[in-house]
Amino acid sequence: MVNHIVGVFPAAGGIGGSTVKHLLPRLPSSSLVFIARSPEKLKYHPLGEAVLRRADYDDDVSLQHAFDGLNTLFLISYASVEHEHRSERHRVAIDLAIRSGVKYIFYGSLGFGGKPDNNMSVAHVMQAHLDTERYLDECTHQHEGFGYTVIREGLYSESYPLYTAFFDLKHPVDEIIIPHDGSGPGIAWVKREELGEGTAELLKRFVKDPANFEYKNKKVLLSGSKTLTLEETVAILGRIAKHPVRIRQVSVDEYAKQPQLAPNFTYHGVDHSKVWATTFEAFRRGESAFVSPLLGELLGREPEDFETTISRS
């Protein structure tokens, strides 16, 4: 398709920035629009003719024309662990994108739920994603010619502090206190940079041949190629920190009272530490243990393992 314009929003975060980096060599820069609250953060890339726009999920005025002229949008989720507010912000962005003429949305979801065609999760952090996945499907019935692909981004290796009570490699503690005993099922950890690279490759394939794109109106999962239990994950962190560390299982209430949690899990004045504990129940149910071969196929190589990623970070 000639002059197929692709946008990324928000483009300056972890997944967004990595996707931008890997889109630039794959598509003409003149066909790329990068939208971010702080677009100046993207200027460390050689952007060529790519267009930068300023917009913020929480600023409706800035979103009104953020998606004008785009054919395809990669929409990355609102950065929060909330449910209703995230879902509402996603719906607003989707509605405005469709109003602006966007015909296809790739949505960056999260790797809970197990197999990518599963529509259930016990993890609180996954609920806004499930809402958004359903809403995109509804939009295909309400807007002729509209389509989507949901990319469930596996739990990225660099996010391990979220699942280890904010264990710090530079200031290691003896115990990681969580409501989980560390045993399997595990997590198919995946490098964040490779999630961006795989996403960029999916976008390129869609732009090159949208009529034959095999993931239209479907969900896909980008995961690592092997799983690690939380116990195995913590053992690796201990090796890297050169400090023995073990898991101590506690109740949800005791977990949530740890002082380092609230500053990291408070959004709009509400502490989500307790509901965050639902991620550990999701792990027990194997929701993040499903290994998909798709990322390796998109990269043309085996995804990087957890220990290598964290050792180099």
Side-chain angles (χ1 to χ4, degrees):
M1 182 175 179
V2 179
N3 295 327
H4 187 130
I5 307 299
V6 176
V8 177
F9 173 72
I15 295 293
S18 176
T19 304
V20 165
K21 173 184 173 181
H22 291 285
L23 269 179
L24 284 162
R26 285 174 165 81
L27 294 173
S29 62
S30 58
S31 70
L32 298 172
V33 177
F34 302 135
I35 309 157
R37 182 172 57 190
S38 302
E40 60 275 6
K41 291 182 179 178
L42 289 165
K43 290 182 180 176
Y44 63 89
H45 290 300
L47 296 173
E49 297 177 65
V51 173
L52 295 182
R53 293 181 186 169
R54 188 181 306 276
D56 185 334
Y57 257 128
D58 281 318
D59 179 357
D60 285 3
V61 173
S62 74
L63 292 173
Q64 290 296 318
H65 297 287
F67 311 116
D68 287 0
L70 305 184
N71 303 104
T72 296
L73 171 66
F74 175 38
L75 183 69
I76 301 163
S77 65
Y78 182 94
S80 164
V81 304
E82 297 162 292
H83 178 187
E84 289 82 3
H85 185 72
R86 292 179 93 194
S87 297
E88 188 263 342
R89 290 292 86 199
H90 294 163
R91 286 193 300 271
V92 167
I94 291 165
D95 288 346
L96 290 173
I98 293 172
R99 191 189 72 181
S100 290
V102 172
K103 290 296 185 183
Y104 207 93
I105 290 178
F106 285 79
Y107 172 65
S109 185
L110 187 59
F112 283 100
K115 293 183 178 180
D117 57 357
N118 185 33
N119 297 316
M120 301 287 289
S121 173
V122 297
H124 175 83
V125 70
M126 190 65 185
Q127 300 314 306
H129 294 295
L130 294 173
D131 288 350
T132 305
E133 291 176 8
R134 286 188 288 267
Y135 189 64
L136 285 166
D137 195 58
E138 289 172 18
C139 288
T140 65
H141 304 290
Q142 297 166 355
H143 303 280
E144 186 177 354
F146 175 75
Y148 71 90
T149 298
V150 166
I151 304 174
R152 287 191 177 172
E153 312 270 9
L155 304 195
Y156 53 85
S157 300
E158 300 91 334
S159 72
Y160 73 83
L162 294 170
Y163 310 101
T164 57
F166 297 96
F167 181 78
D168 184 347
L169 288 170
K170 294 179 180 177
H171 302 95
V173 293
D174 297 333
E175 291 184 324
I176 288 173
I177 300 170
I178 54 175
H180 194 289
D181 66 4
S183 61
I187 302 164
W189 296 110
V190 58
K191 186 179 183 179
R192 185 171 64 184
E193 169 101 3
E194 291 184 340
L195 289 173
E197 185 178 351
T199 298
E201 180 64 21
L202 274 177
L203 285 161
K204 184 197 84 170
R205 293 183 185 187
F206 173 74
V207 170
K208 297 293 185 188
D209 191 5
N212 294 306
F213 188 65
E214 61 184 301
Y215 304 115
K216 184 175 183 180
N217 299 340
K218 293 182 178 179
K219 296 188 283 286
V220 300
L221 173 66
L222 302 185
S223 77
S225 58
K226 62 174 288 188
T227 61
L228 294 172
T229 66
L230 279 173
E231 187 173 42
E232 290 167 334
T233 299
V234 166
I236 289 169
L237 294 174
R239 284 202 299 274
I240 294 170
K242 297 182 172 57
H243 184 97
V245 60
R246 62 187 176 274
I247 291 172
R248 176 158 67 92
Q249 185 175 15
V250 296
S251 68
V252 168
D253 286 340
E254 191 173 346
Y255 162 77
K257 288 176 183 175
Q258 295 178 89
Q260 73 272 27
L261 266 62
N264 288 287
F265 287 139
T266 296
Y267 295 87
H268 295 102
V270 178
D271 180 3
H272 289 76
S273 299
K274 195 166 182 178
V275 293
W276 182 259
T278 56
T279 58
F280 296 101
E281 179 58 29
F283 292 153
R284 272 189 282 272
R285 299 184 185 203
E287 287 196 22
S288 298
F290 187 76
V291 171
S292 167
L294 179 58
L295 180 59
E297 189 268 312
L298 293 169
L299 298 176
R301 64 180 187 274
E302 192 82 353
E304 188 171 279
D305 66 277
F306 178 85
E307 186 161 2
T308 300
T309 298
I310 303 307
S311 295
R312 292 174 174 172
S313 61

